[in-house]
Amino acid sequence: MISIGDLVECEEMKRAWLAAPSAHWLGIVFKMKTQSLDGIGKEKMYKVHFPNRQQYWILSENLNKVA
């Protein structure tokens, strides 16, 4: 389970990094929210900050917690 303050990796960012080595795929979780993207089911989203000062809301299914 991912919680605030955890170090996570994003597979989508990792794929982008293979194309552009300046991208970062490890980040720290700062916020969490539950949102309905399709109007039916609710999805957990996490606000992740990356070392290059980028921050994104990412679905929980696209994140892996780094132990």
Side-chain angles (χ1 to χ4, degrees):
M1 175 145 170
I2 298 172
S3 40
I4 294 172
D6 286 344
L7 182 64
V8 294
E9 68 177 349
C10 178
E11 289 299 320
E12 295 293 322
M13 296 290 221
K14 197 172 191 177
R15 280 193 282 267
W17 184 82
L18 294 174
S22 63
H24 297 275
W25 72 87
L26 293 176
I28 297 177
V29 176
F30 272 79
K31 291 184 182 179
M32 189 223 32
K33 70 178 176 180
T34 304
Q35 183 175 5
S36 178
L37 299 176
D38 59 2
I40 300 169
K42 294 194 177 226
E43 308 253 2
K44 277 190 182 177
M45 298 181 74
Y46 295 95
K47 188 172 192 176
V48 181
H49 290 245
F50 294 94
N52 58 358
R53 298 183 185 221
Q54 297 293 318
Q55 49 190 321
Y56 301 99
W57 284 101
I58 302 175
L59 287 173
S60 60
E61 63 192 34
N62 294 333
L63 294 174
N64 296 322
K65 184 175 178 180
V66 177

